[in-house]
Amino acid sequence: MKTPKRIEPLIEEGLVDSVICQLMSGKEALVYVVQRGSELQCAKVYKETHRRNFWHSANYTEGRYLKNIRRTREIQRQNCFGKLAKDEAWQHTEIKALCQLGAIGVKVPGYINFLEGVLLMELITDSQGNVAPRLNDIRLTTEQARTYHALLINQAVRMLCHGMIHSDLSEYNVLLGSQGPVLIDFPQAIYVAENNNARWLLKRDIDNITRYFSRFVPELAMTDFGSEIWSL
């Protein structure tokens, strides 16, 4: 396919050889399958702030900029520099989350590189080597639903133990790879100590996942997993 303009700098720098196809279009980015040598990777091209469709972003960014006073002032001015700083903070949050979560054993795509608003990551594949489907695209058995629900709850607990919450977790942000569920999309990830919305966001994450799996295992809906996790 024709190379998207935003990926051209990566080809010029030798980070990517070619673009294979567009994988998906999300609320904050376009995602492509790219090739470097014999390896396929994933390229996430972030949309500019005015092109994103992410409502109530203040819920996620509360406390995010406090450690960088200069960036906070730029963002508050709402000029072109402020918008650029806001975009950069949004993108770097995902990079930081991928690196930190991968290091503690949470199943996320491996970070490869970042250049000019494009994030290169590991391409998650299924057991046949095909691009892994999202959770919402799979019809699950009762046993699979129980297993995957337990695994994702475990991942949420592991994240919480290290002070982090996904904040937009749902069946649309989980891939079913060859080794099980993999969490994706972290620009809105928060740190519990910095955000007063942490408890509400965690409960919403767990409620979303439990609501989805209860389609296949109705009794899951009888337990308030979000409140139980927070009280651990």
Side-chain angles (χ1 to χ4, degrees):
M1 66 172 287
K2 182 179 179 180
T3 302
K5 188 171 183 177
R6 294 280 301 281
I7 297 183
E8 289 177 357
L10 282 78
I11 292 179
E12 293 171 0
E13 292 294 327
L15 299 175
V16 169
D17 293 333
S18 61
V19 180
I20 305 301
C21 64
Q22 181 175 319
L23 191 55
M24 66 178 70
S25 177
K27 52 196 169 189
E28 83 272 357
L30 299 172
V31 181
Y32 298 89
V33 177
V34 298
Q35 186 163 10
R36 184 183 184 190
S38 60
E39 183 180 3
L40 294 180
Q41 299 174 353
C42 178
K44 183 172 184 176
V45 180
Y46 292 98
K47 295 179 180 179
E48 297 172 344
T49 302
H50 68 280
R51 296 181 182 275
R52 286 204 306 262
N53 183 26
F54 210 113
W55 298 102
H56 309 303
S57 63
N59 289 330
Y60 314 106
T61 58
E62 178 187 317
R64 181 175 290 183
Y65 313 121
L66 295 180
K67 296 178 182 178
N68 191 324
I69 296 175
R70 181 179 178 183
R71 174 171 287 175
T72 300
R73 290 173 177 169
E74 289 176 345
I75 291 172
Q76 290 174 342
R77 291 191 185 107
Q78 294 295 316
N79 55 21
C80 59
F81 295 105
K83 292 177 181 178
L84 178 60
K86 190 173 183 179
D87 280 342
E88 290 176 347
W90 198 258
Q91 296 159 12
H92 292 163
T93 294
E94 177 154 40
I95 295 171
K96 184 177 179 180
L98 289 176
C99 294
Q100 291 184 340
L101 294 176
I104 63 174
V106 176
K107 300 297 184 182
V108 298
Y111 168 77
I112 297 175
N113 215 320
F114 178 80
L115 180 68
E116 296 188 20
V118 181
L119 172 61
L120 285 178
M121 300 177 286
E122 170 192 8
L123 179 67
I124 304 300
T125 57
D126 61 19
S127 56
Q128 283 76 47
N130 301 313
V131 174
R134 290 190 295 184
L135 185 60
N136 69 295
D137 293 325
I138 300 296
R139 179 69 184 178
L140 302 174
T141 65
T142 299
E143 182 179 354
Q144 287 175 324
R146 287 185 185 278
T147 299
Y148 294 153
H149 180 260
L151 287 171
L152 289 172
I153 292 294
N154 179 271
Q155 296 288 278
V157 170
R158 185 177 295 243
M159 289 178 62
L160 185 61
C161 288
H162 286 80
M164 193 181 300
I165 296 173
H166 186 286
S167 302
D168 191 37
L169 188 59
S170 74
E171 63 271 26
Y172 300 99
N173 288 332
V174 178
L175 301 179
L176 283 182
S178 58
Q179 303 299 315
V182 178
L183 304 181
I184 61 171
D185 293 340
F186 289 92
Q188 72 296 318
I190 67 156
Y191 291 90
V192 175
E194 299 175 355
N195 195 304
N196 290 324
N197 299 304
R199 182 170 186 171
W200 174 74
L201 290 169
L202 173 69
K203 184 172 176 9
R204 189 182 65 173
D205 277 0
I206 302 306
D207 286 350
N208 284 343
I209 285 296
T210 300
R211 188 179 303 113
Y212 172 75
F213 285 113
S214 65
R215 300 177 190 177
F216 312 103
V217 189
E219 57 265 34
L220 288 176
M222 299 174 65
T223 301
D224 187 353
F225 291 95
S227 296
E228 288 189 0
I229 290 174
W230 185 263
S231 64
L232 291 175

